[in-house]
Amino acid sequence: MDDNRRNPSSDDEVALRRIQRLSLHLYNPSEPHSGGLSLLPCRAKRNLSPSVESLSEYMRGPHREIQARIFEFFQSRPDLQTPVEISMAEHRQLCMRQMTALVREAGIRPFRYLVENPSAYFAIAEAVGGVDISLGIKMGVQFSLWGGSVINLGTKKHKEKYFDGIDNLDYPGCFAMTELHHGSNVQALQTTAIFDPITDEFVINTPNDGAIKWWIGNAAVHGKFASVFARLVLPLQGKGGKSADMGIHAFIVPIRDLETHSLLPGVEIHDCGHKVGLNGVDNGALRFSHVRVPRDNLLNRFGDVSRDGKYTSSLPTVNKRFAATLGELVGGRVGLAYSSVGVLKIAVTIAVRYSLLRQQFGPPRKPEVSVLDYQSQQHRLMPMLASTYAFHFATQYLVDKYSEMKKTNDDQVIGDVHALSAGLKSYVTSYTARSISTCRESCGGHGYAAVNRFGILRNDHDIFQTFEGDNTVLLQQVAGDLLKRYQEKFKGGTLTMTWNYLRESMSSYLSQPNPVTARWEGEDHLRDPKFQLDAFRYRTSRLLQSVAARLQKHSKTLGSFGAWNRCLNHLLTLAESHIESVVLAKFIEAVQNCPDANTREVLKLVCDLYALDRIWKDIGTYRNVDYVAPNKAKAIHKLTDYLSFQVRGVARELVDAFDLPDLVIRAPIGMASEAYEQYTQHVGF
């Protein structure tokens, strides 16, 4: 054929194939990056035989003993177990009895753990959430929000006065931040706290209906105190003798009489009523009509007012004080991310066990096969099971970092925890919410029975996506922090631990994709953690660079707010991509650190499925920039399906390793044995 008539693209492909062959000859085939053409020893596929005990031991963490105490206590008390059918009023009273019994009869003091050993507190929260999610949230309101605000935003005098009452439940309380008109935008709250220098008091007032405190847990029935977030106003302290608004501060406001439980003067409370879920939590709406509290009731860690009305603070601006105040409340997000994984474990366990039990259809004249033997069911549930393991290790890391933050108060750790908790809370709770519905669908008609838990889990968990920070807002915080780090990188600043990879990625990951490695499709290469992590980080780095350029471009014509809004979907994708990179990194570390070889092999299989499934789900991004060639994309898809099949083979052991007692599972179809027998007994046979 005449050279002038040859297809140029064909020439390119021939050249690339020659380069690939040459590179594979030069590459050390003993290393784990070898592609499909290298000479590798033949490996027979073998069945894994994981030890549930070994796997469970590695997953448990240091606080399984206290969780076991909680499970044993509630197992021994049928009167404290939540029935499937219960009225809102009964559920609220039951939840209060459950929490009181936990503290006063079982002798478990969550508040002390919150202060002294946060990781143990989060383990307690996961366990009580397994008993009843409403109980977990009510406990969080009492100890993490009401108690946490007193301890973290107050000073020694507040701890001395309130600690014991919060701890032993003599002082049940609320966290009154959200208003009818403002939730996420806390700086725009309208409730006021005006200092009266004559009486040495603050006057708490709701100036209009939009400022009514709304959705306040523990307020409708049980609360006697509230941490009220309000604008601290000092008369005559502003310019020209006007009032000075010092920004949002927290105040301890008694709302009911300690003896009679009657509402105190000036306090008006109404019930928010029946909700989609969490009806064991008594949410109320509060209006304050010139309620007076002593000056000492100001939680004054970050700002104080003297007897003569002078304001002092170690932080120079309203914004810095506001950031410090909200920063101390980050533990709620940590707890929600951790507890959400606990809910996901329950849902996945029920769905997997039932899918193994349920048999439908099969080859002609052959026995019916397990539903989980169908590729479509594996595609639904096995990546979800892998994600559950990934989230377990990621949120355990978050809890450890939070504990380190509380001990050291190191600025870098604080910055890391704030952004990581926002990202993981958003990503994990959104994933869990979607997954519960998928689990319900995967269990067919029996998944629709209330006794089999999916409806209750879905409804109770759904609000996890909203409180402690709306998920979309939190992802924007993550994106904003990434952009800040991006700018600092070019100014020679340091990066906190979670963001360290961006320093390298901005140079190496953003170079042109290697046309040779883009075509490698061998299993060893695709299952190499370096390839997987590089792919995740490459995507994040490209998204970060491109959105930074777009923001700079649009800000010239739209201003900063308009530019941000124009790029909002891009920013959310960036934040999710970063969180996925962190999750994978922590999963890989957990695999490598596992001391038992057999268990490590199983975890490696699950980790590979998590990574490749995520890459396949966003394969368009990798194809658009030629990071993955068509043949490699096909190989990733094929391998993902095969890994799902492999994980199916150990699915029972993987869910059993969560070590969830029947008290937590409760769904008849999710029992480890005699599921159908328990189901028929439940309906009366």
Side-chain angles (χ1 to χ4, degrees):
M1 179 185 294
D2 186 88
D3 285 347
N4 292 330
R5 295 174 60 190
R6 293 176 65 182
N7 186 336
S9 63
S10 177
D11 286 350
D12 291 343
E13 291 175 3
V14 170
L16 284 171
R17 281 199 297 271
R18 289 173 177 167
I19 294 171
Q20 185 180 22
R21 289 193 184 99
L22 178 61
S23 69
L24 291 170
H25 279 295
L26 295 173
Y27 211 88
N28 182 356
S30 66
E31 292 186 9
H33 305 280
S34 301
L37 295 178
S38 58
L39 296 175
L40 292 172
C42 293
R43 289 189 309 177
K45 300 294 181 184
R46 66 183 186 86
N47 292 326
L48 297 173
S49 54
S51 162
V52 172
E53 184 178 349
S54 175
L55 188 55
S56 185
E57 181 68 27
Y58 187 59
M59 295 279 288
R60 271 182 197 141
H63 306 297
R64 186 60 179 179
E65 183 179 344
I66 195 168
Q67 290 185 321
R69 280 179 58 197
I70 293 169
F71 296 144
E72 288 168 8
F73 174 73
F74 282 102
Q75 185 64 49
S76 71
R77 294 288 302 274
D79 60 306
L80 295 177
Q81 296 171 19
T82 307
V84 174
E85 298 182 46
I86 185 170
S87 71
M88 181 178 73
E90 291 172 329
H91 198 178
R92 288 174 170 183
Q93 294 305 324
L94 175 60
C95 252
M96 190 64 189
R97 286 196 294 114
Q98 288 171 331
M99 185 164 68
T100 303
L102 179 74
V103 171
R104 297 179 180 175
E105 297 179 42
I108 291 172
R109 296 297 182 92
F111 195 41
R112 294 180 186 273
Y113 284 107
L114 177 71
V115 175
E116 299 167 6
N117 188 351
S119 65
Y121 171 81
F122 292 124
I124 293 169
E126 180 188 26
V128 299
V131 172
D132 186 334
I133 299 178
S134 284
L135 172 61
I137 297 304
K138 192 172 185 69
M139 190 189 86
V141 171
Q142 171 67 16
F143 299 120
S144 180
L145 294 180
W146 152 235
S149 63
V150 172
I151 296 302
N152 294 319
L153 302 181
T155 48
K156 182 180 179 182
K157 62 184 178 183
H158 300 109
K159 183 174 181 179
E160 290 175 348
K161 184 174 181 179
Y162 293 99
F163 185 95
D164 288 342
I166 295 170
D167 179 52
N168 63 24
L169 295 178
D170 283 345
Y171 293 170
C174 319
F175 183 82
M177 177 181 281
T178 297
E179 295 178 354
L180 178 62
H181 283 185
H182 290 94
S184 298
N185 189 5
V186 178
Q187 279 188 296
L189 296 179
Q190 300 177 69
T191 301
T192 57
I194 302 173
F195 181 63
D196 183 345
I198 298 174
T199 62
D200 196 26
E201 295 172 316
F202 284 101
V203 182
I204 312 296
N205 192 53
T206 303
N208 55 64
D209 285 354
I212 295 172
K213 295 296 182 180
W214 210 275
W215 292 125
I216 309 306
N218 278 358
V221 179
H222 298 123
K224 295 179 187 283
F225 294 88
S227 289
V228 177
F229 287 77
R231 315 194 74 80
L232 194 161
V233 178
L234 298 176
L236 307 176
Q237 298 287 325
K239 292 182 180 179
K242 295 182 178 180
S243 296
D245 183 344
M246 309 309 296
I248 303 299
H249 291 64
F251 301 81
I252 296 175
V253 181
I255 58 175
R256 288 187 174 94
D257 187 276
L258 285 174
E259 299 298 328
T260 67
H261 203 62
S262 300
L263 290 177
L264 293 175
V267 178
E268 182 182 358
I269 301 179
H270 293 279
D271 199 318
C272 288
H274 200 273
K275 306 183 293 292
V276 170
L278 294 181
N279 282 299
V281 182
D282 51 312
N283 293 87
L286 294 81
R287 186 204 299 270
F288 302 100
S289 298
H290 306 287
V291 175
R292 290 179 172 268
V293 297
R295 178 168 54 89
D296 276 352
N297 283 28
L298 166 65
L299 294 172
N300 61 337
R301 178 179 172 188
F302 297 116
D304 203 1
V305 175
S306 64
R307 176 66 186 86
D308 60 357
K310 299 297 183 185
Y311 185 85
T312 56
S313 174
S314 59
L315 301 170
T317 66
V318 169
N319 286 342
K320 286 186 180 296
R321 291 193 293 271
F322 176 74
T325 297
L326 290 194
E328 283 300 319
L329 306 175
V330 72
R333 294 174 185 170
V334 176
L336 280 182
Y338 193 74
S339 295
S340 182
V341 179
V343 175
L344 183 58
K345 288 176 183 176
I346 297 170
V348 169
T349 298
I350 297 169
V352 167
R353 284 180 176 170
Y354 178 69
S355 296
L356 287 164
L357 171 71
R358 183 73 164 179
Q359 294 181 332
Q360 294 290 288
F361 307 108
R365 294 179 294 280
K366 298 279 187 179
E368 290 185 305
V369 301
S370 165
V371 171
L372 200 54
D373 285 331
Y374 288 97
Q375 188 182 57
S376 57
Q377 194 80 338
Q378 293 169 14
H379 180 73
R380 271 177 162 179
L381 295 180
M382 295 303 94
M384 187 190 300
L385 178 56
S387 296
T388 309
Y389 269 78
F391 298 159
H392 169 88
F393 293 116
T395 53
Q396 187 60 62
Y397 168 75
L398 174 61
V399 166
D400 291 343
K401 294 299 291 183
Y402 177 80
S403 299
E404 180 186 348
M405 180 191 82
K406 299 301 288 184
K407 288 178 182 175
T408 66
N409 286 313
D410 180 88
D411 286 341
Q412 281 201 343
V413 178
I414 290 171
D416 216 19
V417 169
H418 285 183
L420 189 58
S421 62
L424 280 173
K425 183 270 182 185
S426 175
Y427 190 89
V428 171
T429 59
S430 291
Y431 184 93
T432 297
R434 294 192 303 270
S435 297
I436 295 171
S437 290
T438 301
C439 288
R440 204 294 302 158
E441 294 166 15
S442 72
C443 292
H446 293 314
Y448 198 62
V451 70
N452 287 323
R453 303 291 313 283
F454 294 120
I456 295 169
L457 291 174
R458 179 184 60 203
N459 292 347
D460 283 351
H461 176 275
D462 193 64
I463 194 63
F464 280 41
Q465 300 173 94
T466 302
F467 57 23
E468 293 294 333
D470 175 85
N471 282 359
T472 301
V473 175
L474 293 183
L475 286 177
Q476 290 180 71
Q477 291 182 18
V478 176
D481 198 73
L482 286 166
L483 287 162
K484 179 182 175 183
R485 307 296 174 191
Y486 182 71
Q487 291 176 332
E488 288 176 357
K489 188 263 181 191
F490 289 106
K491 294 176 182 176
T494 59
L495 296 176
T496 58
M497 190 178 301
T498 307
W499 282 258
N500 262 338
Y501 74 85
L502 291 172
R503 180 177 301 284
E504 180 186 353
S505 70
M506 287 299 106
S507 52
S508 65
Y509 295 137
L510 292 179
S511 58
Q512 280 298 109
N514 186 325
V516 175
T517 57
R519 285 164 169 74
W520 283 352
E521 57 184 83
E523 181 179 338
D524 279 18
H525 167 65
L526 297 180
R527 297 187 66 174
D528 181 354
K530 185 179 187 308
F531 157 70
Q532 297 164 1
L533 202 50
D534 279 354
F536 276 50
R537 291 173 169 178
Y538 177 85
R539 178 183 58 170
T540 303
S541 299
R542 284 201 70 92
L543 287 165
L544 178 55
Q545 185 193 50
S546 57
V547 80
R550 287 186 66 206
L551 286 169
Q552 186 176 31
K553 171 188 171 185
H554 290 305
S555 62
K556 295 175 182 176
T557 55
L558 301 175
S560 58
F561 179 84
W564 187 271
N565 195 35
R566 174 67 65 88
C567 301
L568 186 53
N569 289 335
H570 193 159
L571 289 159
L572 298 177
T573 303
L574 164 66
E576 289 180 338
S577 177
H578 169 66
I579 293 302
E580 289 182 349
S581 298
V582 174
V583 170
L584 178 60
K586 295 306 154 191
F587 201 172
I588 290 171
E589 283 182 20
V591 173
Q592 294 170 342
N593 293 335
C594 181
D596 179 72
N598 215 17
T599 302
R600 187 166 59 248
E601 186 176 9
V602 175
L603 288 175
K604 176 67 168 66
L605 169 67
V606 178
C607 185
D608 288 341
L609 175 57
Y610 171 79
L612 293 175
D613 178 69
R614 285 296 189 281
I615 292 172
W616 173 249
K617 279 183 167 59
D618 199 21
I619 199 67
T621 295
Y622 295 104
R623 285 289 301 115
N624 285 343
V625 294
D626 291 326
Y627 191 83
V628 169
N631 67 307
K632 188 170 189 172
K634 183 178 179 181
I636 290 170
H637 187 200
K638 186 177 179 180
L639 183 55
T640 301
D641 283 345
Y642 179 69
L643 293 177
S644 288
F645 169 74
Q646 289 279 90
V647 171
R648 179 262 176 267
V650 292
R652 187 185 304 278
E653 291 84 353
L654 288 170
V655 296
D656 287 352
F658 293 147
D659 199 19
L660 300 175
D662 290 350
L663 173 75
V664 171
I665 297 297
R666 294 205 287 285
I669 64 170
M671 292 294 108
S673 62
E674 300 181 344
Y676 279 137
E677 289 84 347
Q678 294 194 46
Y679 197 15
T680 54
Q681 288 174 16
H682 171 77
V683 300
F685 287 100

